[in-house]
Amino acid sequence: MTQTVLLVDDDMMVREALGQTLELNGLTVISAGSYVEAKDHLRADFPGVVLSDIRMPGKDGFALLQQAQAVDPELPIILLTGEGDIPTAVRGMTEGAFDFLEKPCNPNTLLSVIGRAIHTRILVLENRALRTKAQTGDAAARLLIGESALAEELRAQVRSAAATKAEVLICGEPGSGTSKVCEVLHLLSGDATRPFVKLAAAGLSAADLLSGVDRAEGGTLFLDEVGALDAGVQYRLLDLLEQPGNWRMVAGSYRDLEAEHRAGRFNADLYYKLDLFRIRIPALRERKEDIPLLFRHYVSISSEQAALTPPEIGQDAIAQLMARDWPGNARALMNAAMRFSMGLGLDQMDAPSDGEGLGLSEQLAQVERSLLMDALKRHGGGATAAAKELKLPRKTFYDKLARHGIRPEAFRA
């Protein structure tokens, strides 16, 4: 669990006092009385932070700081310094310490600094996990982010479609990412160097379509919003699909093409040809438990691109995100993450829905379930720490878990 503090101090009474303060606030404490005892706990995947006294017999806190940086330069080290020993503290910060605290520590200050360090560590470990997944997983695991059952079902659909050569229709609301899903499908279908041609169907001429097919030889042609295709071009596309060829047709649409063809606005034969294999992208409001993970991912990317330090994403921000229906789906969430990374807050997000779809009680239940799961994930399945963070009595917390069918052990590493 990432709520761990390696506490290093040669004074047993200080260790016990600091350890008690940390444990009473839901943190797991590993106590060590020396550099030698502490160094064996340092590793690149250490799930927490280090709080160490500077002045200790033998190797001191600076030696521990150097050892930690050699093992993992991104492991937050907080140094404890004696009263008025500012030059020593400045040296620690210069050498890479996360922060320093002056003994005796004010409990609120201690917990605030530890909280910031843990937040930083959580982001580092999450980003590493995503990078590892990107390096070791297939394109679906790398690019289609989400831990909900609907996200896993989407990945499964894309993998199944990739195993065929059939035409594919990708359906999803505006902003849900039909183009991205098509790209993943293309990557899973064979050699990534094969042509991937993307065309907007609106205003596309027959000549443009034919040129796109030629360029997609041996690869994939994606028609974005195929429902906007001109009637004459629809017939030309159907004709091309019925001829032998070494290219794959994938169409994206946020329109109900079945209703379109029944209303005479879309060629029925083309509809049935394209609908051989359908992939549906679930809307964000259907899988709200994915919102915290996606938002953190987008904030991390936005911050890296703008060379900014990723801002802290607190429970209030998560609650605001979860309370929205996101009619713009992933694109709207990405835009909100970009604004948040630049310090603009969440005030400019789309307004909540007017109650269409799920009722208020169902929406609140989704928000509550996601917040419970998010807290358990941060605490590695630690129910006591998660309940404390959410300011819930233990019995109430477990009652809510039972109501939502959530098991803490499912979040333990």
Side-chain angles (χ1 to χ4, degrees):
M1 77 180 56
T2 319
Q3 302 289 315
T4 301
V5 178
L6 173 58
L7 173 59
V8 190
D9 198 305
D10 62 303
D11 188 321
M12 184 177 67
M13 293 183 65
V14 171
R15 285 202 313 273
E16 289 180 351
L18 291 175
Q20 185 178 45
T21 298
L22 297 174
E23 288 176 342
L24 286 173
N25 284 272
L27 298 168
T28 299
V29 177
I30 301 173
S31 293
S34 67
Y35 166 92
V36 173
E37 190 179 350
K39 71 178 180 64
D40 292 335
H41 293 284
L42 300 177
R43 59 182 191 275
D45 61 345
F46 182 72
V49 301
V50 179
L51 176 64
S52 174
D53 190 19
I54 292 179
R55 300 188 184 281
M56 296 184 291
K59 291 191 174 183
D60 61 10
F62 288 118
L64 186 65
L65 172 61
Q66 292 171 1
Q67 176 63 18
Q69 290 181 326
V71 172
D72 183 352
E74 295 180 295
L75 177 59
I77 311 295
I78 302 163
L79 295 176
L80 293 168
T81 181
E83 184 176 358
D85 197 3
I86 299 302
T88 302
V90 171
R91 176 190 165 192
M93 299 296 288
T94 302
E95 294 187 11
F98 179 85
D99 207 336
F100 73 92
L101 292 167
E102 192 175 48
K103 294 194 292 186
C105 299
N106 178 285
N108 291 333
T109 303
L110 170 66
L111 293 170
S112 175
V113 173
I114 291 288
R116 287 193 294 106
I118 285 177
H119 170 73
T120 299
R121 188 60 174 167
I122 288 172
L123 288 178
V124 166
L125 295 180
E126 281 185 351
N127 289 337
R128 285 182 185 173
L130 287 172
R131 285 196 295 269
T132 299
K133 202 169 188 179
Q135 294 167 358
T136 60
D138 64 11
R142 296 197 310 268
L143 301 174
L144 303 179
I145 296 171
E147 297 179 339
S148 67
L150 286 175
E152 184 54 45
E153 182 182 338
L154 173 62
R155 289 189 287 267
Q157 288 182 45
V158 175
R159 291 180 181 122
S160 296
T164 76
K165 298 296 182 183
E167 289 80 17
V168 178
L169 177 61
I170 303 174
C171 300
E173 294 183 357
S176 60
T178 55
S179 178
K180 183 176 183 179
V181 170
C182 181
E183 182 182 357
V184 172
L185 174 61
H186 172 75
L187 292 172
L188 291 175
S189 298
D191 184 359
T193 63
R194 295 170 304 120
F196 177 65
V197 179
K198 175 183 173 181
L199 297 175
L204 191 71
S205 68
D208 292 335
L209 173 63
L210 189 58
S211 174
V213 170
D214 289 341
R215 285 184 285 129
E217 180 68 21
T220 304
L221 173 65
F222 175 64
L223 283 183
D224 196 6
E225 194 36 62
V226 70
L229 206 60
D230 181 78
V233 184
Q234 291 180 30
Y235 282 105
R236 185 68 179 114
L237 175 58
L238 179 61
D239 183 55
L240 290 169
L241 290 174
E242 291 178 341
Q243 298 174 15
N246 185 29
W247 59 284
R248 183 179 199 170
M249 175 68 214
V250 180
S253 180
Y254 64 82
R255 306 184 188 186
D256 183 345
L257 290 188
E258 183 175 4
E260 291 289 297
H261 96 73
R262 291 186 183 281
R265 292 187 293 267
F266 195 81
N267 185 289
D269 291 334
L270 179 58
Y271 164 69
Y272 289 116
K273 182 72 173 175
L274 295 176
D275 198 34
L276 184 60
F277 203 121
R278 180 184 295 208
I279 296 174
R280 178 183 173 273
I281 305 174
L284 269 187
R285 65 178 177 277
E286 300 175 60
R287 51 182 186 119
K288 287 195 171 183
E289 58 265 48
D290 288 335
I291 289 176
L293 178 63
L294 283 166
F295 188 73
R296 289 194 183 98
H297 175 64
Y298 294 149
V299 166
S300 176
I301 291 175
S302 301
S303 299
E304 183 177 349
Q305 290 175 343
L308 298 170
T309 300
E312 182 173 353
I313 306 170
Q315 281 302 301
D316 288 345
I318 293 296
Q320 286 186 59
L321 295 169
M322 302 290 293
R324 313 245 170 192
D325 272 355
W326 298 102
N329 291 289
R331 171 56 62 186
L333 186 64
M334 190 181 303
N335 290 343
M338 292 175 65
R339 292 192 292 268
F340 189 81
S341 300
M342 293 184 288
L344 300 180
L346 300 175
D347 296 336
Q348 299 180 30
M349 294 191 306
D350 295 332
S353 70
D354 58 4
E356 293 182 3
L358 296 177
L360 178 60
S361 60
E362 290 88 351
Q363 293 183 55
L364 290 175
Q366 281 192 346
V367 171
E368 182 178 75
R369 183 173 189 273
S370 298
L371 290 174
L372 292 168
M373 293 172 65
D374 200 43
L376 283 169
K377 180 183 175 183
R378 278 194 304 280
H379 292 280
T384 300
K388 188 171 186 64
E389 177 189 325
L390 295 174
K391 297 179 174 59
L392 290 174
R394 187 176 177 85
K395 182 179 183 306
T396 302
F397 181 75
Y398 274 103
D399 287 345
K400 290 181 181 294
L401 294 184
R403 187 183 312 134
H404 293 288
I406 300 172
R407 296 180 300 108
E409 56 267 27
F411 297 86
R412 294 172 189 155

PDB file of all heavy atoms in Angstrom, residues 306-337:
ATOM      1  N   ALA A 306       3.426  20.343 -20.792  1.00  0.00           N
ATOM      2  CA  ALA A 306       3.588  21.765 -20.502  1.00  0.00           C
ATOM      3  C   ALA A 306       4.734  22.042 -19.530  1.00  0.00           C
ATOM      4  O   ALA A 306       4.919  23.181 -19.106  1.00  0.00           O
ATOM      5  CB  ALA A 306       2.290  22.326 -19.933  1.00  0.00           C
ATOM      6  N   ALA A 307       5.514  20.982 -19.192  1.00  0.00           N
ATOM      7  CA  ALA A 307       6.637  21.111 -18.253  1.00  0.00           C
ATOM      8  C   ALA A 307       6.177  21.691 -16.919  1.00  0.00           C
ATOM      9  O   ALA A 307       6.810  22.569 -16.340  1.00  0.00           O
ATOM     10  CB  ALA A 307       7.747  21.960 -18.858  1.00  0.00           C
ATOM     11  N   LEU A 308       5.024  21.190 -16.424  1.00  0.00           N
ATOM     12  CA  LEU A 308       4.473  21.656 -15.154  1.00  0.00           C
ATOM     13  C   LEU A 308       4.525  20.542 -14.119  1.00  0.00           C
ATOM     14  O   LEU A 308       4.528  19.354 -14.467  1.00  0.00           O
ATOM     15  CB  LEU A 308       3.009  22.095 -15.344  1.00  0.00           C
ATOM     16  CG  LEU A 308       2.747  23.263 -16.291  1.00  0.00           C
ATOM     17  CD1 LEU A 308       1.247  23.389 -16.554  1.00  0.00           C
ATOM     18  CD2 LEU A 308       3.299  24.562 -15.725  1.00  0.00           C
ATOM     19  N   THR A 309       4.568  20.911 -12.845  1.00  0.00           N
ATOM     20  CA  THR A 309       4.457  19.924 -11.777  1.00  0.00           C
ATOM     21  C   THR A 309       2.992  19.509 -11.664  1.00  0.00           C
ATOM     22  O   THR A 309       2.118  20.375 -11.529  1.00  0.00           O
ATOM     23  CB  THR A 309       4.919  20.516 -10.437  1.00  0.00           C
ATOM     24  OG1 THR A 309       6.280  20.928 -10.560  1.00  0.00           O
ATOM     25  CG2 THR A 309       4.796  19.487  -9.324  1.00  0.00           C
ATOM     26  N   PRO A 310       2.690  18.206 -11.730  1.00  0.00           N
ATOM     27  CA  PRO A 310       1.282  17.784 -11.655  1.00  0.00           C
ATOM     28  C   PRO A 310       0.633  18.259 -10.363  1.00  0.00           C
ATOM     29  O   PRO A 310       1.179  18.050  -9.284  1.00  0.00           O
ATOM     30  CB  PRO A 310       1.377  16.241 -11.686  1.00  0.00           C
ATOM     31  CG  PRO A 310       2.682  15.950 -12.329  1.00  0.00           C
ATOM     32  CD  PRO A 310       3.608  17.065 -11.909  1.00  0.00           C
ATOM     33  N   PRO A 311      -0.503  18.947 -10.443  1.00  0.00           N
ATOM     34  CA  PRO A 311      -1.172  19.428  -9.226  1.00  0.00           C
ATOM     35  C   PRO A 311      -1.792  18.283  -8.440  1.00  0.00           C
ATOM     36  O   PRO A 311      -2.083  17.213  -8.995  1.00  0.00           O
ATOM     37  CB  PRO A 311      -2.261  20.361  -9.777  1.00  0.00           C
ATOM     38  CG  PRO A 311      -2.549  19.838 -11.135  1.00  0.00           C
ATOM     39  CD  PRO A 311      -1.246  19.304 -11.665  1.00  0.00           C
ATOM     40  N   GLU A 312      -1.968  18.512  -7.159  1.00  0.00           N
ATOM     41  CA  GLU A 312      -2.603  17.494  -6.326  1.00  0.00           C
ATOM     42  C   GLU A 312      -4.077  17.372  -6.695  1.00  0.00           C
ATOM     43  O   GLU A 312      -4.758  18.378  -6.896  1.00  0.00           O
ATOM     44  CB  GLU A 312      -2.455  17.844  -4.854  1.00  0.00           C
ATOM     45  CG  GLU A 312      -3.052  16.804  -3.923  1.00  0.00           C
ATOM     46  CD  GLU A 312      -2.748  17.076  -2.464  1.00  0.00           C
ATOM     47  OE1 GLU A 312      -1.955  18.002  -2.185  1.00  0.00           O
ATOM     48  OE2 GLU A 312      -3.315  16.376  -1.607  1.00  0.00           O
ATOM     49  N   ILE A 313      -4.545  16.140  -6.791  1.00  0.00           N
ATOM     50  CA  ILE A 313      -5.945  15.874  -7.131  1.00  0.00           C
ATOM     51  C   ILE A 313      -6.623  15.336  -5.874  1.00  0.00           C
ATOM     52  O   ILE A 313      -6.521  14.158  -5.554  1.00  0.00           O
ATOM     53  CB  ILE A 313      -6.074  14.872  -8.286  1.00  0.00           C
ATOM     54  CG1 ILE A 313      -5.251  15.342  -9.493  1.00  0.00           C
ATOM     55  CG2 ILE A 313      -7.537  14.670  -8.680  1.00  0.00           C
ATOM     56  CD1 ILE A 313      -5.128  14.310 -10.589  1.00  0.00           C
ATOM     57  N   GLY A 314      -7.291  16.199  -5.143  1.00  0.00           N
ATOM     58  CA  GLY A 314      -7.906  15.817  -3.880  1.00  0.00           C
ATOM     59  C   GLY A 314      -9.269  15.176  -4.050  1.00  0.00           C
ATOM     60  O   GLY A 314      -9.813  15.082  -5.155  1.00  0.00           O
ATOM     61  N   GLN A 315      -9.818  14.748  -2.911  1.00  0.00           N
ATOM     62  CA  GLN A 315     -11.129  14.089  -2.938  1.00  0.00           C
ATOM     63  C   GLN A 315     -12.239  15.034  -3.398  1.00  0.00           C
ATOM     64  O   GLN A 315     -13.199  14.595  -4.034  1.00  0.00           O
ATOM     65  CB  GLN A 315     -11.453  13.533  -1.552  1.00  0.00           C
ATOM     66  CG  GLN A 315     -10.754  12.237  -1.233  1.00  0.00           C
ATOM     67  CD  GLN A 315     -11.096  11.155  -2.241  1.00  0.00           C
ATOM     68  OE1 GLN A 315     -12.254  10.792  -2.416  1.00  0.00           O
ATOM     69  NE2 GLN A 315     -10.097  10.643  -2.930  1.00  0.00           N
ATOM     70  N   ASP A 316     -12.115  16.312  -3.092  1.00  0.00           N
ATOM     71  CA  ASP A 316     -13.136  17.264  -3.544  1.00  0.00           C
ATOM     72  C   ASP A 316     -13.167  17.317  -5.068  1.00  0.00           C
ATOM     73  O   ASP A 316     -14.247  17.366  -5.687  1.00  0.00           O
ATOM     74  CB  ASP A 316     -12.850  18.659  -2.983  1.00  0.00           C
ATOM     75  CG  ASP A 316     -13.128  18.750  -1.489  1.00  0.00           C
ATOM     76  OD1 ASP A 316     -13.791  17.836  -0.973  1.00  0.00           O
ATOM     77  OD2 ASP A 316     -12.679  19.722  -0.857  1.00  0.00           O
ATOM     78  N   ALA A 317     -11.989  17.325  -5.683  1.00  0.00           N
ATOM     79  CA  ALA A 317     -11.918  17.350  -7.146  1.00  0.00           C
ATOM     80  C   ALA A 317     -12.498  16.078  -7.730  1.00  0.00           C
ATOM     81  O   ALA A 317     -13.264  16.115  -8.704  1.00  0.00           O
ATOM     82  CB  ALA A 317     -10.467  17.537  -7.597  1.00  0.00           C
ATOM     83  N   ILE A 318     -12.151  14.935  -7.140  1.00  0.00           N
ATOM     84  CA  ILE A 318     -12.681  13.658  -7.625  1.00  0.00           C
ATOM     85  C   ILE A 318     -14.206  13.637  -7.509  1.00  0.00           C
ATOM     86  O   ILE A 318     -14.913  13.188  -8.417  1.00  0.00           O
ATOM     87  CB  ILE A 318     -12.070  12.479  -6.836  1.00  0.00           C
ATOM     88  CG1 ILE A 318     -10.566  12.357  -7.126  1.00  0.00           C
ATOM     89  CG2 ILE A 318     -12.770  11.168  -7.185  1.00  0.00           C
ATOM     90  CD1 ILE A 318     -10.233  12.016  -8.554  1.00  0.00           C
ATOM     91  N   ALA A 319     -14.714  14.138  -6.393  1.00  0.00           N
ATOM     92  CA  ALA A 319     -16.172  14.163  -6.203  1.00  0.00           C
ATOM     93  C   ALA A 319     -16.845  15.032  -7.267  1.00  0.00           C
ATOM     94  O   ALA A 319     -17.913  14.674  -7.792  1.00  0.00           O
ATOM     95  CB  ALA A 319     -16.506  14.679  -4.809  1.00  0.00           C
ATOM     96  N   GLN A 320     -16.225  16.179  -7.598  1.00  0.00           N
ATOM     97  CA  GLN A 320     -16.788  17.037  -8.653  1.00  0.00           C
ATOM     98  C   GLN A 320     -16.797  16.304  -9.994  1.00  0.00           C
ATOM     99  O   GLN A 320     -17.785  16.371 -10.748  1.00  0.00           O
ATOM    100  CB  GLN A 320     -15.963  18.316  -8.784  1.00  0.00           C
ATOM    101  CG  GLN A 320     -16.149  19.321  -7.670  1.00  0.00           C
ATOM    102  CD  GLN A 320     -15.410  20.604  -7.952  1.00  0.00           C
ATOM    103  OE1 GLN A 320     -15.654  21.274  -8.964  1.00  0.00           O
ATOM    104  NE2 GLN A 320     -14.470  20.952  -7.082  1.00  0.00           N
ATOM    105  N   LEU A 321     -15.714  15.626 -10.283  1.00  0.00           N
ATOM    106  CA  LEU A 321     -15.619  14.894 -11.548  1.00  0.00           C
ATOM    107  C   LEU A 321     -16.681  13.800 -11.625  1.00  0.00           C
ATOM    108  O   LEU A 321     -17.317  13.599 -12.665  1.00  0.00           O
ATOM    109  CB  LEU A 321     -14.227  14.265 -11.691  1.00  0.00           C
ATOM    110  CG  LEU A 321     -13.044  15.230 -11.798  1.00  0.00           C
ATOM    111  CD1 LEU A 321     -11.731  14.476 -11.649  1.00  0.00           C
ATOM    112  CD2 LEU A 321     -13.074  15.970 -13.131  1.00  0.00           C
ATOM    113  N   MET A 322     -16.862  13.093 -10.518  1.00  0.00           N
ATOM    114  CA  MET A 322     -17.784  11.967 -10.505  1.00  0.00           C
ATOM    115  C   MET A 322     -19.242  12.409 -10.575  1.00  0.00           C
ATOM    116  O   MET A 322     -20.115  11.642 -10.965  1.00  0.00           O
ATOM    117  CB  MET A 322     -17.572  11.149  -9.231  1.00  0.00           C
ATOM    118  CG  MET A 322     -16.161  10.620  -9.075  1.00  0.00           C
ATOM    119  SD  MET A 322     -15.815   9.344 -10.251  1.00  0.00           S
ATOM    120  CE  MET A 322     -16.897   8.080  -9.662  1.00  0.00           C
ATOM    121  N   ALA A 323     -19.510  13.654 -10.172  1.00  0.00           N
ATOM    122  CA  ALA A 323     -20.895  14.144 -10.153  1.00  0.00           C
ATOM    123  C   ALA A 323     -21.380  14.562 -11.539  1.00  0.00           C
ATOM    124  O   ALA A 323     -22.563  14.859 -11.701  1.00  0.00           O
ATOM    125  CB  ALA A 323     -21.024  15.314  -9.182  1.00  0.00           C
ATOM    126  N   ARG A 324     -20.516  14.572 -12.520  1.00  0.00           N
ATOM    127  CA  ARG A 324     -20.876  15.031 -13.865  1.00  0.00           C
ATOM    128  C   ARG A 324     -21.184  13.857 -14.783  1.00  0.00           C
ATOM    129  O   ARG A 324     -20.664  12.758 -14.620  1.00  0.00           O
ATOM    130  CB  ARG A 324     -19.729  15.837 -14.461  1.00  0.00           C
ATOM    131  CG  ARG A 324     -19.182  16.877 -13.476  1.00  0.00           C
ATOM    132  CD  ARG A 324     -19.412  18.262 -13.938  1.00  0.00           C
ATOM    133  NE  ARG A 324     -19.092  19.226 -12.892  1.00  0.00           N
ATOM    134  CZ  ARG A 324     -19.414  20.483 -12.951  1.00  0.00           C
ATOM    135  NH1 ARG A 324     -20.058  20.947 -13.998  1.00  0.00           N
ATOM    136  NH2 ARG A 324     -19.103  21.307 -11.980  1.00  0.00           N
ATOM    137  N   ASP A 325     -21.995  14.107 -15.784  1.00  0.00           N
ATOM    138  CA  ASP A 325     -22.360  13.068 -16.749  1.00  0.00           C
ATOM    139  C   ASP A 325     -21.429  13.037 -17.958  1.00  0.00           C
ATOM    140  O   ASP A 325     -21.465  12.101 -18.739  1.00  0.00           O
ATOM    141  CB  ASP A 325     -23.802  13.273 -17.242  1.00  0.00           C
ATOM    142  CG  ASP A 325     -24.799  12.568 -16.346  1.00  0.00           C
ATOM    143  OD1 ASP A 325     -24.365  11.863 -15.418  1.00  0.00           O
ATOM    144  OD2 ASP A 325     -26.001  12.734 -16.574  1.00  0.00           O
ATOM    145  N   TRP A 326     -20.632  14.084 -18.169  1.00  0.00           N
ATOM    146  CA  TRP A 326     -19.653  14.133 -19.245  1.00  0.00           C
ATOM    147  C   TRP A 326     -20.245  13.840 -20.618  1.00  0.00           C
ATOM    148  O   TRP A 326     -19.900  12.832 -21.252  1.00  0.00           O
ATOM    149  CB  TRP A 326     -18.488  13.179 -18.949  1.00  0.00           C
ATOM    150  CG  TRP A 326     -17.766  13.568 -17.697  1.00  0.00           C
ATOM    151  CD1 TRP A 326     -17.889  12.986 -16.480  1.00  0.00           C
ATOM    152  CD2 TRP A 326     -16.855  14.658 -17.538  1.00  0.00           C
ATOM    153  NE1 TRP A 326     -17.108  13.644 -15.549  1.00  0.00           N
ATOM    154  CE2 TRP A 326     -16.462  14.677 -16.175  1.00  0.00           C
ATOM    155  CE3 TRP A 326     -16.343  15.621 -18.400  1.00  0.00           C
ATOM    156  CZ2 TRP A 326     -15.579  15.619 -15.670  1.00  0.00           C
ATOM    157  CZ3 TRP A 326     -15.464  16.562 -17.890  1.00  0.00           C
ATOM    158  CH2 TRP A 326     -15.094  16.553 -16.537  1.00  0.00           C
ATOM    159  N   PRO A 327     -21.145  14.702 -21.111  1.00  0.00           N
ATOM    160  CA  PRO A 327     -21.699  14.485 -22.453  1.00  0.00           C
ATOM    161  C   PRO A 327     -20.626  14.525 -23.538  1.00  0.00           C
ATOM    162  O   PRO A 327     -20.819  13.970 -24.612  1.00  0.00           O
ATOM    163  CB  PRO A 327     -22.702  15.642 -22.603  1.00  0.00           C
ATOM    164  CG  PRO A 327     -22.294  16.667 -21.594  1.00  0.00           C
ATOM    165  CD  PRO A 327     -21.720  15.896 -20.453  1.00  0.00           C
ATOM    166  N   GLY A 328     -19.490  15.166 -23.253  1.00  0.00           N
ATOM    167  CA  GLY A 328     -18.385  15.185 -24.210  1.00  0.00           C
ATOM    168  C   GLY A 328     -17.424  14.038 -24.040  1.00  0.00           C
ATOM    169  O   GLY A 328     -16.410  13.940 -24.750  1.00  0.00           O
ATOM    170  N   ASN A 329     -17.703  13.153 -23.068  1.00  0.00           N
ATOM    171  CA  ASN A 329     -16.944  11.934 -22.833  1.00  0.00           C
ATOM    172  C   ASN A 329     -15.444  12.186 -22.648  1.00  0.00           C
ATOM    173  O   ASN A 329     -15.059  13.155 -22.018  1.00  0.00           O
ATOM    174  CB  ASN A 329     -17.237  10.918 -23.941  1.00  0.00           C
ATOM    175  CG  ASN A 329     -18.657  10.398 -23.848  1.00  0.00           C
ATOM    176  OD1 ASN A 329     -18.983   9.638 -22.943  1.00  0.00           O
ATOM    177  ND2 ASN A 329     -19.533  10.840 -24.748  1.00  0.00           N
ATOM    178  N   ALA A 330     -14.606  11.307 -23.191  1.00  0.00           N
ATOM    179  CA  ALA A 330     -13.160  11.375 -22.943  1.00  0.00           C
ATOM    180  C   ALA A 330     -12.567  12.702 -23.392  1.00  0.00           C
ATOM    181  O   ALA A 330     -11.663  13.246 -22.747  1.00  0.00           O
ATOM    182  CB  ALA A 330     -12.453  10.214 -23.631  1.00  0.00           C
ATOM    183  N   ARG A 331     -13.055  13.249 -24.490  1.00  0.00           N
ATOM    184  CA  ARG A 331     -12.521  14.522 -24.982  1.00  0.00           C
ATOM    185  C   ARG A 331     -12.787  15.636 -23.970  1.00  0.00           C
ATOM    186  O   ARG A 331     -11.902  16.457 -23.694  1.00  0.00           O
ATOM    187  CB  ARG A 331     -13.168  14.871 -26.332  1.00  0.00           C
ATOM    188  CG  ARG A 331     -12.854  16.267 -26.853  1.00  0.00           C
ATOM    189  CD  ARG A 331     -11.365  16.514 -26.973  1.00  0.00           C
ATOM    190  NE  ARG A 331     -10.750  15.602 -27.930  1.00  0.00           N
ATOM    191  CZ  ARG A 331      -9.436  15.534 -28.120  1.00  0.00           C
ATOM    192  NH1 ARG A 331      -8.624  16.313 -27.424  1.00  0.00           N
ATOM    193  NH2 ARG A 331      -8.941  14.683 -28.998  1.00  0.00           N
ATOM    194  N   ALA A 332     -13.964  15.672 -23.383  1.00  0.00           N
ATOM    195  CA  ALA A 332     -14.281  16.697 -22.395  1.00  0.00           C
ATOM    196  C   ALA A 332     -13.455  16.498 -21.123  1.00  0.00           C
ATOM    197  O   ALA A 332     -12.976  17.468 -20.517  1.00  0.00           O
ATOM    198  CB  ALA A 332     -15.772  16.672 -22.065  1.00  0.00           C
ATOM    199  N   LEU A 333     -13.273  15.251 -20.704  1.00  0.00           N
ATOM    200  CA  LEU A 333     -12.472  14.968 -19.516  1.00  0.00           C
ATOM    201  C   LEU A 333     -11.014  15.362 -19.751  1.00  0.00           C
ATOM    202  O   LEU A 333     -10.349  15.906 -18.863  1.00  0.00           O
ATOM    203  CB  LEU A 333     -12.565  13.485 -19.168  1.00  0.00           C
ATOM    204  CG  LEU A 333     -11.895  13.060 -17.858  1.00  0.00           C
ATOM    205  CD1 LEU A 333     -12.575  13.713 -16.660  1.00  0.00           C
ATOM    206  CD2 LEU A 333     -11.903  11.544 -17.714  1.00  0.00           C
ATOM    207  N   MET A 334     -10.526  15.122 -20.952  1.00  0.00           N
ATOM    208  CA  MET A 334      -9.158  15.505 -21.296  1.00  0.00           C
ATOM    209  C   MET A 334      -8.994  17.028 -21.249  1.00  0.00           C
ATOM    210  O   MET A 334      -7.996  17.545 -20.739  1.00  0.00           O
ATOM    211  CB  MET A 334      -8.815  14.984 -22.695  1.00  0.00           C
ATOM    212  CG  MET A 334      -7.344  15.109 -23.067  1.00  0.00           C
ATOM    213  SD  MET A 334      -7.019  14.503 -24.753  1.00  0.00           S
ATOM    214  CE  MET A 334      -7.652  12.828 -24.628  1.00  0.00           C
ATOM    215  N   ASN A 335      -9.964  17.758 -21.778  1.00  0.00           N
ATOM    216  CA  ASN A 335      -9.911  19.215 -21.736  1.00  0.00           C
ATOM    217  C   ASN A 335      -9.923  19.729 -20.297  1.00  0.00           C
ATOM    218  O   ASN A 335      -9.210  20.678 -19.953  1.00  0.00           O
ATOM    219  CB  ASN A 335     -11.083  19.814 -22.511  1.00  0.00           C
ATOM    220  CG  ASN A 335     -10.963  19.600 -24.012  1.00  0.00           C
ATOM    221  OD1 ASN A 335      -9.885  19.293 -24.514  1.00  0.00           O
ATOM    222  ND2 ASN A 335     -12.064  19.735 -24.730  1.00  0.00           N
ATOM    223  N   ALA A 336     -10.752  19.107 -19.453  1.00  0.00           N
ATOM    224  CA  ALA A 336     -10.808  19.499 -18.046  1.00  0.00           C
ATOM    225  C   ALA A 336      -9.462  19.246 -17.371  1.00  0.00           C
ATOM    226  O   ALA A 336      -9.003  20.041 -16.541  1.00  0.00           O
ATOM    227  CB  ALA A 336     -11.916  18.733 -17.324  1.00  0.00           C
ATOM    228  N   ALA A 337      -8.819  18.122 -17.721  1.00  0.00           N
ATOM    229  CA  ALA A 337      -7.509  17.798 -17.153  1.00  0.00           C
ATOM    230  C   ALA A 337      -6.457  18.818 -17.582  1.00  0.00           C
ATOM    231  O   ALA A 337      -5.597  19.203 -16.782  1.00  0.00           O
ATOM    232  CB  ALA A 337      -7.095  16.395 -17.575  1.00  0.00           C
TER     233      ALA A 337
END
